[in-house]
Amino acid sequence: MSQDFATPNPQLAPGSRHAGFTVERAEQLPEISGCAYVLRHDATRARVMWLACADDNKAFSIAFKTPPANDTGVFHILEHSVLCGSGRFPVKEPFVHLLKSSMQTFLNALTFPDKTMYPVSSTNDRDLENLMDIYLDAVLHPAIYQRRRIFEQEGWHYELASADAAQAADATSAQDAERGGELTLNGVVYNEMKGALSSPEEILICGMMRALFGETPYGWVSGGDPKAIPSLTYEEFLDTHARHYQLANSYTVLYGNLDIEEKLAFLGKRFDAARPAAGSPNELPLCEPREGGLVRMPMDTTPDNACVGVAYVFATAGQRERVLAADVLVDALVGSNEAPLKRAILDADLGSDVQGYLYDGILQPCLIFELQGAKPGVAEQFEQLVEQTCAKLVEDGLGADNLEASLAQAEFNLREGDFGYPDGVGLAIQAMNGWLYSDDDATSYLRYEDALSQIRAGLGGGYFERLLDEAVCHNAHRCCVEVVPTPSEGATEEAQRLAKVREGLSEDNLAVIAREAAELHAEQAAPDTPEALATLPHLSLSDIGEAAADPKTVQADAPVPCYHHLIDTRRIDYAYWYFDLDHVSYDELPYVSVLANLLGKLDTTRHSAYELDTICEAKLGGLSFFSEVYSTDGDPLSARPKFVVGASSLSENARWLAELPREIWAETNLADTRRIRDILEQRRVGMEQAFVDSGHAAALARVGAQFRASAEVSDMLGGVGFYRFLRDLLDHFDERADALVAKLDDLRRRIFSANNCEMSFTGPEADLAAYWDNASDLGLFAAAADAPRLVVPMPQVRSEAFVVPANVCFVGEGMDGLSVGTELSGAWRVASQALSYDYLWNEVRVLGGAYGCGFRCTADSLLQFYSYRDPAVDPTAGRFERASEWLATWDPTPAELTGFIVAGVAGMDAPVKPRSLGRRLDAARLSGRDGSWRAKIRSQMLATTVEDVRALAEPLSKLEGAHGMCVFGGRTQIEASGLDLDVCELFER
């Protein structure tokens, strides 16, 4: 008999005591079909909340209030460091052990502007307790007090770089050689933040927070400013932990279908053993209103990265309804190109794009409007235009249809509840948006039904106009910040700082630096002792349950092939249309992506772009147009690109899933070249930021294009190939505009043709029937008689580097598995876990200082390595190429091998949301994989032996001679490489 979680459990009534905890409140929470129980640990005053519901993907999170007092990033460094060993688990990397041996569905740690969270989730109860045990010991009894090197590894340390040192025969000779070398800084968080602050948007946010909040917690860079990180001392680091990681300053969330008495006893035992408090945590005061004026922030970046932001503190976290309403308001103002504030700014031609967002999850939430690709000297004009336009909207009204649509969109998103990670983790983060600031608000941000009702009731009475007037037009707590590109001359700022430090160092100082760096590297390289490893919990293969069967898919009786996925979606419908692109020539592929960017953003014959956007927001949960490429496993030259249209809606709006996409693909007016230019400029800005923020993804995609026709097509549709096309198109837009319009109309007719489409539908059968009742002929065009065919050039292997405005690099390297006689298998999945979380973690992250790294064997049998926010190219490439040597001699214990298998299988078995599950089924069908493909890989993983994994070293050993390579990074990092790379300035006009 299933448990009724929606009714409060009388055994958990307020005032009742359980394993040293007292229940303070018990509340029904219909938003999760469950209840919330808020408790307090009697001895330590730790706060605990159980979100009780029927979800078997259970979760745990412990958080601490951690408002910073400077820019050193101490809480970010602590977030990393406490997971590097603890009292009961004295291994160097228990976090990595969990990654490579647990059944976790989420495992991470997160630094926010005022809190640090440690959330985990798992579908296995024993595994969840293992995760909880290691995380609790990590935060309450970390090894940082005994091992100073953790601070140096994760935070910062000096090194002396010397080519002679690298060739030295012993440690003493190396230290002697290093003393003559260049002074460098290394550390995982240091390198991470160098990468993060390569983004002009991050610099802008930091500037706005400093202007709004001054030298109070939100005015500091919580992640750490690389200029300030080296001022943090080990003693300050320990003191900060002792004062903040105490249970009276903690917030624990339990989630899901749990035995709560068992879990409270588990927590109580560990809470009782916690170290006593040692000093008071930093305070988190309310900041008084302040007008920051115009602040200009110089940044060494390209001119296209100029940006301006205006920000307004408009509420406190305790005003839940006001914060939710502000989220709706931002969408109504700038949620699309046709939203009134965004359209006014685009028409003024001040920059390339405008974004607006709610900056919440802090004590004093803000509204932010950002101008990207800002033209020189427009900051004050932008601020005036924002406020003048808002004042006019207050006077004239925001429009009932516009507000209804934005409110409907917010409602859909809240009801769908797709956080992008397990619900228990997302809800724990949401809860902290109120609970951190008031014990009375533990559930305020988990509720939304009452707030939505209040907001909806105020729609006709000027509710949003009053909010806009108060939040923007008459707000004394505000600022305007401009990021001004100022290319540096000569050495970088970091190099200048380090050169100055080195000038002040004596020979003895240099000897100490060389010795301490050598000792750090020795500790990093030393294996954990068998005794330390024996303390870690382990799962067995018997802990793995049966894999959930894929849901049934039936082919519906319809005018086009229609695949109905029988998945419970709780009355939300997901529809996807797939249109073949095999009748589009290779040179036309970039135009396909241009078309995808434009659809849904221009006028149709029936509606203006503004009207269309309003209807789509009101009736649909989402509508997107994009392309993706499928291929046949084992065939490197196969490529089946598809133009995809995806839409979602509530059940009652199923007919709109038919009507709105059909109107857009059949009736869009493609002649509005001014709007087209605006949209394409926005795409350019977004791509450039992605190359800087996620260069590893771009590098891997580019390496793939050196071996696979499908990846080459993807590159022309959305990678570097498309970006270069887009830049050239925009540079010559006026002379090419008429030809562009004609090309797009021709492509539209070829793509959306009657013999060219199949669709999938995930939702109730009645909704599918309602869809087809309104779909008619789908508005598709007749098939073209003389269409070209797609012919993809042969992939070419190369080594290339793209210079982007970043202070770190991203290294991608790979090879074709098929060419050396290997293909994806369960053994490769296990080997990928071992290489990523054992060899590469130790070599590239711990020793090399990169923030992230990994290896994968893709479904089409590409063997690929990558690094993320890496300080250097060559050491990482060398480690990639030595991976086969490590794999050939890999000698795990039986428990370690089992752990890798368990983690890999659990990754395949992790629950997914209905939308993602439907798309996964579509991908298998479109790739030609039968229904047993996943089960086959899973079975192979369960049967993998050490010998199976070692045997993969032989094909991997061919990497050095047969690899392709791609690097994205700063000029300094790329010019320091001795590799033979074809270097290109990616953003150079």
Side-chain angles (χ1 to χ4, degrees):
M1 182 176 175
S2 62
Q3 186 174 346
D4 176 16
F5 289 102
T7 303
N9 184 342
Q11 294 181 347
L12 292 170
S16 61
R17 300 187 71 250
H18 308 263
F21 294 84
T22 299
V23 179
E24 295 184 338
R25 297 201 308 280
E27 307 173 5
Q28 288 183 294
L29 202 57
E31 286 83 351
I32 66 166
S33 302
C35 290
Y37 301 92
V38 181
L39 307 94
R40 183 82 71 156
H41 187 237
D42 300 330
T44 64
R45 308 309 294 158
R47 303 163 185 82
V48 175
M49 178 163 59
W50 177 33
L51 301 177
C53 63
D55 193 349
D56 287 325
N57 195 4
K58 299 171 276 284
F60 157 84
S61 170
I62 186 167
F64 300 90
K65 184 185 289 187
T66 54
N70 52 47
D71 282 335
T72 60
V74 60
F75 291 116
H76 188 187
I77 297 171
L78 278 168
E79 175 231 302
H80 284 239
S81 298
V82 300
L83 295 173
C84 294
S86 63
R88 290 178 47 235
F89 306 105
V91 296
K92 292 188 296 181
E93 299 274 8
F95 175 74
V96 183
H97 165 78
L98 294 174
L99 285 173
K100 62 189 184 183
S101 66
S102 80
M103 298 178 68
Q104 55 86 17
T105 54
F106 185 91
L107 179 73
N108 212 334
L110 308 165
T111 301
F112 294 88
D114 56 13
K115 57 187 168 284
T116 309
M117 296 186 69
Y118 298 85
V120 298
S121 63
S122 178
T123 56
N124 181 285
D125 198 67
R126 180 184 170 197
D127 187 50
L128 182 69
E129 285 204 354
N130 291 343
L131 297 169
M132 292 169 62
D133 205 9
I134 290 179
Y135 262 41
L136 285 168
D137 206 57
V139 298
L140 299 176
H141 307 285
I144 57 174
Y145 291 92
Q146 293 79 40
R147 291 174 48 211
R148 179 191 179 105
R149 302 301 179 201
I150 295 173
F151 165 70
E152 295 169 355
Q153 170 183 293
E154 299 299 320
W156 72 276
H157 63 276
Y158 287 124
E159 294 182 357
L160 289 160
S162 167
D164 293 338
Q167 304 299 321
D170 55 60
T172 302
S173 301
Q175 291 173 37
D176 291 342
E178 283 173 350
R179 289 202 294 275
E182 177 187 359
L183 186 69
T184 63
L185 260 167
N186 207 346
V188 174
V189 169
Y190 179 78
N191 290 325
E192 178 188 352
M193 294 310 297
K194 281 174 64 179
L197 295 181
S198 296
S199 162
E201 279 70 30
E202 284 296 321
I203 295 291
L204 184 67
I205 290 171
C206 292
M208 289 188 287
M209 293 300 103
R210 178 59 63 89
L212 289 171
F213 297 106
E215 294 190 354
T216 65
Y218 297 124
W220 303 111
V221 182
S222 61
D225 185 332
K227 294 191 290 292
I229 288 173
S231 67
L232 178 65
T233 68
Y234 178 57
E235 292 70 28
E236 291 173 293
F237 169 76
L238 295 182
D239 174 70
T240 303
H241 178 271
R243 289 188 297 109
H244 293 85
Y245 281 58
Q246 51 181 275
L247 288 169
N249 191 42
S250 72
Y251 303 77
T252 295
V253 178
L254 297 166
Y255 168 86
N257 183 3
L258 300 171
D259 180 338
I260 191 59
E261 298 290 351
E262 178 184 82
K263 292 299 180 285
L264 289 175
F266 183 94
L267 287 177
K269 180 179 178 180
R270 285 144 184 86
F271 283 6
D272 288 340
R275 65 173 65 227
S280 300
N282 296 343
E283 293 184 354
L284 181 58
L286 276 170
C287 184
E288 293 298 316
R290 51 188 288 162
E291 290 203 40
L294 174 60
V295 177
R296 290 190 169 91
M297 302 186 68
M299 181 183 182
D300 182 7
T301 188
T302 60
D304 287 347
N305 278 331
C307 52
V308 182
V310 290
Y312 305 86
V313 178
F314 71 95
T316 62
Q319 297 172 290
R320 167 57 170 149
E321 181 189 318
R322 186 176 176 88
V323 174
L324 178 55
D327 204 15
V328 177
L329 176 63
V330 170
D331 184 73
L333 290 170
V334 294
S336 74
N337 281 1
E338 304 311 314
L341 177 56
K342 186 165 186 174
R343 176 42 58 195
I345 297 167
L346 291 175
D347 286 346
D349 198 25
L350 303 181
S352 302
D353 196 10
V354 185
Q355 302 291 333
Y357 51 94
L358 170 67
Y359 191 90
D360 62 347
I362 60 176
L363 178 59
Q364 293 173 272
C366 311
L367 289 178
I368 294 177
F369 302 104
E370 178 186 343
L371 178 67
Q372 297 175 330
K375 294 184 176 180
V378 301
E380 291 172 311
Q381 188 180 349
F382 173 65
E383 181 182 26
Q384 291 167 5
L385 183 56
V386 167
E387 294 178 2
Q388 289 169 1
T389 305
C390 288
K392 190 172 190 310
L393 290 168
V394 169
E395 182 179 346
D396 298 344
L398 284 155
D401 289 346
N402 182 27
L403 292 171
E404 282 276 9
S406 293
L407 184 55
Q409 189 66 207
E411 235 177 308
F412 179 93
N413 292 336
L414 288 165
R415 295 193 199 291
E416 186 180 36
D418 191 345
F419 297 100
Y421 33 81
D423 288 354
V425 174
L427 291 168
I429 295 171
Q430 287 282 93
M432 295 307 300
N433 288 355
W435 198 15
L436 191 76
Y437 316 108
S438 170
D439 290 341
D440 295 333
D441 287 333
T443 61
S444 295
Y445 281 76
L446 304 178
R447 301 182 180 279
Y448 53 80
E449 296 289 3
D450 290 346
L452 287 173
S453 296
Q454 290 293 323
I455 293 169
R456 187 169 292 284
L459 274 179
Y463 181 102
F464 282 98
E465 287 78 8
R466 286 192 297 276
L467 175 59
L468 179 59
D469 189 46
E470 295 164 4
V472 175
C473 302
H474 294 93
N475 188 340
H477 200 167
R478 54 194 278 179
C479 71
C480 178
V481 175
E482 179 182 16
V483 172
V484 182
T486 311
S488 64
E489 300 283 337
T492 65
E493 184 180 352
E494 179 190 43
Q496 293 173 20
R497 289 198 310 271
L498 288 170
K500 186 174 181 180
V501 171
R502 197 190 191 292
E503 286 174 7
L505 296 174
S506 66
E507 281 297 311
D508 288 345
N509 297 145
L510 295 172
V512 169
I513 289 172
R515 184 182 69 250
E516 291 190 344
E519 290 173 359
L520 170 61
H521 293 161
E523 182 174 315
Q524 291 170 326
D528 289 309
T529 66
E531 294 77 14
L533 290 170
T535 65
L536 294 168
H538 294 281
L539 298 175
S540 66
L541 296 184
S542 63
D543 289 306
I544 302 174
E546 292 295 319
D550 276 342
K552 285 185 64 177
T553 299
V554 297
Q555 191 160 355
D557 182 16
V560 300
C562 176
Y563 300 89
H564 182 202
H565 304 309
L566 305 183
I567 301 170
D568 180 12
T569 61
R570 300 177 68 177
R571 303 191 71 249
I572 294 177
D573 300 325
Y574 302 100
Y576 284 88
W577 299 262
Y578 299 91
F579 297 90
D580 283 337
L581 293 175
D582 60 357
H583 49 279
V584 172
S585 72
Y586 177 79
D587 291 338
E588 290 176 322
L589 289 171
Y591 291 97
V592 172
S593 287
V594 169
L595 180 64
N597 275 272
L598 300 178
L599 291 178
K601 300 172 186 174
L602 300 173
D603 297 349
T604 68
T605 55
R606 282 183 263 180
H607 296 100
S608 69
Y610 173 77
E611 292 167 341
L612 184 66
D613 179 69
T614 301
I615 296 169
C616 287
E617 281 220 312
K619 303 301 182 183
L620 300 179
L623 177 62
S624 56
F625 302 83
F626 56 97
S627 57
E628 56 192 14
V629 188
Y630 297 93
S631 62
T632 300
D633 296 342
D635 181 358
L637 300 182
S638 72
R640 292 193 297 278
K642 303 283 184 180
F643 191 106
V644 188
V645 181
S648 58
S649 77
L650 300 176
S651 284
E652 55 265 32
N653 289 325
R655 75 179 183 92
W656 294 98
L657 286 176
E659 295 185 13
L660 289 169
R662 179 182 61 198
E663 176 184 342
I664 291 168
W665 69 50
E667 302 177 32
T668 293
N669 175 8
L670 295 167
D672 189 344
T673 54
R674 181 177 178 184
R675 276 185 166 82
I676 288 173
R677 189 204 295 259
D678 286 345
I679 295 164
L680 297 183
E681 281 286 0
Q682 291 162 2
R683 178 67 191 275
R684 176 191 62 79
V685 170
M687 291 191 76
E688 290 178 353
Q689 196 55 54
F691 289 136
V692 174
D693 293 343
S694 303
H696 64 302
L700 286 178
R702 191 75 177 172
V703 170
Q706 300 176 28
F707 299 101
R708 295 287 180 270
S710 56
E712 173 65 27
V713 172
S714 294
D715 186 66
M716 293 298 286
L717 286 167
V720 170
F722 173 71
Y723 172 77
R724 287 168 158 166
F725 167 89
L726 182 62
R727 286 296 297 246
D728 185 66
L729 175 62
L730 288 168
D731 288 345
H732 304 91
F733 190 82
D734 289 339
E735 64 215 68
R736 293 173 60 178
D738 290 343
L740 174 66
V741 169
K743 173 63 73 176
L744 294 175
D745 188 60
D746 174 49
L747 277 175
R748 185 250 305 266
R749 293 175 180 278
R750 272 190 269 153
I751 292 169
F752 300 113
S753 64
N755 64 340
N756 195 39
C757 174
E758 65 180 79
M759 77 165 293
S760 73
F761 189 92
T762 306
E765 188 173 0
D767 295 358
L768 178 59
Y771 168 83
W772 282 114
D773 285 345
N774 291 276
S776 184
D777 62 357
L778 292 175
L780 299 176
F781 300 98
D786 55 350
R789 308 304 295 177
L790 177 62
V791 179
V792 184
M794 287 291 292
Q796 300 294 318
V797 179
R798 55 193 173 273
S799 294
E800 59 187 0
F802 296 101
V803 176
V804 296
N807 297 315
V808 290
C809 60
F810 306 83
V811 183
E813 187 171 351
M815 63 182 290
D816 178 12
L818 297 175
S819 69
V820 291
T822 191
E823 62 182 8
L824 176 65
S825 63
W828 267 121
R829 287 283 180 95
V830 175
S832 297
Q833 294 278 118
L835 285 164
S836 294
Y837 296 127
D838 199 334
Y839 174 74
L840 292 173
W841 186 279
N842 291 327
E843 290 288 324
V844 177
R845 188 185 189 278
V846 174
L847 292 170
Y851 179 48
C853 54
F855 170 84
R856 67 183 186 182
C857 177
T858 66
D860 55 355
S861 304
L862 289 175
L863 310 180
Q864 295 185 317
F865 294 86
Y866 71 89
S867 70
Y868 177 73
R869 291 182 179 170
D870 197 336
V873 176
D874 294 10
T876 294
R879 287 166 170 136
F880 290 166
E881 288 160 15
R882 291 190 296 273
S884 64
E885 300 171 18
W886 179 87
L887 197 63
T889 59
W890 186 51
D891 189 24
T893 66
E896 287 172 330
L897 174 62
T898 297
F900 283 119
I901 294 172
V902 166
V905 172
M908 290 192 74
D909 292 351
V912 293
K913 292 284 188 176
R915 181 202 299 267
S916 298
L917 182 52
R919 287 276 283 150
R920 190 174 83 190
L921 295 171
D922 287 347
R925 183 184 71 255
L926 294 166
S927 298
R929 300 188 186 115
D930 62 35
S932 66
W933 181 81
R934 286 174 56 82
K936 175 184 173 184
I937 297 294
R938 188 179 189 273
S939 296
Q940 291 173 350
M941 291 175 71
L942 288 168
T944 296
T945 66
V946 174
E947 290 72 24
D948 293 333
V949 175
R950 286 181 188 155
L952 301 176
E954 197 281 327
L956 196 60
S957 68
K958 308 294 195 302
L959 178 68
E960 186 172 2
H963 72 263
M965 176 177 285
C966 181
V967 178
F968 284 75
R971 175 171 294 284
T972 299
Q973 288 74 28
I974 289 173
E975 288 184 347
S977 172
L979 300 176
D980 184 14
L981 299 171
D982 182 11
V983 179
C984 169
E985 286 274 0
L986 187 57
F987 298 170
E988 190 173 67
R989 286 189 182 274

